[in-house]
Amino acid sequence: MRIIPAIDIIDGKCVRLSKGDYDTKKIYNENPLEVAKEFEDYGIQYLHLVDLDGAKSKHIVNHKVLEQIATKTNLKIDFGGGLKTDEDLKIAFENGANQITGGSIAVKNPETFLAWIHTYGPDKIILGADANNEKIAVSGWQEESDKELIPFIQEYQKERVAYVICTDISKDGMLEGPSFTLYKRILEETKELNLIASGGISTFDELPKLAELGCEGTIIGKAIYENRISLKQLENYILNS
């Protein structure tokens, strides 16, 4: 299972929110590149970079942070937050994204999202299936849609989607443990899905459990920043996997 630390960006700084609420913003580092380099020093190869300003303003904003991390580390970056147009996508890939994550766009403008999959291929485009009470949430989690989580994923699987990041919003940033039951159901009801678990990771012991369920990757945010999981533990996990 891939270990994918998260860096969320507001005003060019590394922050974390609780349940996607911008009013709960906590700044962990003024310099995201510094954080990314530290991850790399501990053998981490992947990064989940979220442009929270972009998610709010509905277009890419922090592409300079993406470019900086992409040019000064070897991390494979998946980038999301506010990607709405072909131009946003072009900017993200030109600035060093290895993959991009589309969430709101897949709900509100499926034609554009499907065109991205067909243009760039399913290995480059991740479906962001973020849910509250198993209903898909959009616009930086500020809105809930009427889309049911598992049917939403299944529909996009028919369109060649191979990677899905699923965040249970009620768990995100709460350090209360991930939604094991939900991930188990998703993996039972879909076939050959690369499911990346996100939200709620609080202790190192949860990682082997997610791997056992069949998650292809897991995104870890606040647990690292609050020293619940050490980078040394992650380094050892990666070396022994």
Side-chain angles (χ1 to χ4, degrees):
M1 183 177 73
R2 290 186 301 137
I3 299 296
I4 313 165
I7 293 179
D8 292 357
I9 305 296
I10 291 179
D11 297 332
K13 296 167 186 169
C14 175
V15 307
R16 297 303 293 172
L17 309 180
S18 296
K19 298 186 181 180
D21 181 352
Y22 284 72
D23 291 335
T24 65
K25 177 180 80 174
K26 183 173 178 181
I27 297 168
Y28 283 97
N29 196 306
E30 304 270 336
N31 186 347
L33 176 61
E34 207 173 80
V35 179
K37 282 182 168 176
E38 190 178 11
F39 291 157
E40 191 172 44
D41 288 345
Y42 280 88
I44 286 161
Q45 298 173 42
Y46 302 96
L47 179 67
H48 179 64
L49 187 62
V50 182
D51 181 357
L52 288 174
D53 292 315
K56 214 168 187 181
S57 57
K58 299 181 171 51
H59 62 85
I60 194 167
V61 173
N62 286 297
H63 52 88
K64 291 293 176 202
V65 176
L66 167 63
E67 181 192 35
Q68 213 182 14
I69 294 172
T71 53
K72 295 186 175 164
T73 73
N74 291 311
L75 294 168
K76 295 183 180 76
I77 303 166
D78 86 70
F79 183 82
L83 300 173
K84 295 284 177 281
T85 64
D86 294 346
E87 183 60 23
D88 286 333
L89 214 66
K90 190 167 168 243
I91 292 167
F93 282 126
E94 281 178 353
N95 282 278
N98 185 57
Q99 294 176 299
I100 69 92
T101 301
S104 303
I105 185 83
V107 176
K108 295 189 164 186
N109 194 343
E111 296 80 10
T112 297
F113 188 69
L114 290 172
W116 293 353
I117 296 164
H118 297 144
T119 302
Y120 293 93
D123 287 342
K124 290 287 181 188
I125 309 294
I126 303 170
L127 175 64
D130 301 335
N132 218 347
N133 302 315
E134 296 197 33
K135 290 273 176 68
I136 295 292
V138 293
S139 303
W141 301 349
Q142 308 301 301
E143 299 171 42
E144 202 176 272
S145 75
D146 59 358
K147 303 266 183 204
E148 295 280 347
L149 173 62
I150 292 176
F152 177 73
I153 294 171
Q154 289 167 333
E155 283 303 310
Y156 269 113
Q157 270 202 296
K158 292 175 190 168
E159 303 290 349
R160 295 173 58 219
V161 155
Y163 288 87
V164 172
I165 293 173
C166 180
T167 306
D168 180 343
I169 294 165
S170 68
K171 301 278 191 181
D172 190 66
M174 301 311 291
L175 297 172
E176 292 170 355
S179 293
F180 293 112
T181 310
L182 179 60
Y183 298 137
K184 186 169 186 279
R185 272 188 38 233
I186 291 170
L187 288 162
E188 283 171 352
E189 295 183 37
T190 58
K191 288 180 183 172
E192 296 174 12
L193 182 71
N194 294 302
L195 180 64
I196 299 162
S198 167
I201 310 294
S202 59
T203 67
F204 178 79
D205 296 345
E206 292 156 359
L207 302 182
K209 289 181 191 170
L210 289 169
E212 206 175 302
L213 281 182
C215 293
E216 188 270 340
T218 184
I219 292 169
I220 312 171
K222 195 176 273 189
I224 294 174
Y225 299 111
E226 297 279 343
N227 299 313
R228 300 285 193 96
I229 298 176
S230 73
L231 292 176
K232 190 68 189 166
Q233 283 177 303
L234 295 178
E235 183 179 41
N236 290 336
Y237 179 86
I238 292 162
L239 286 171
N240 295 317
S241 293

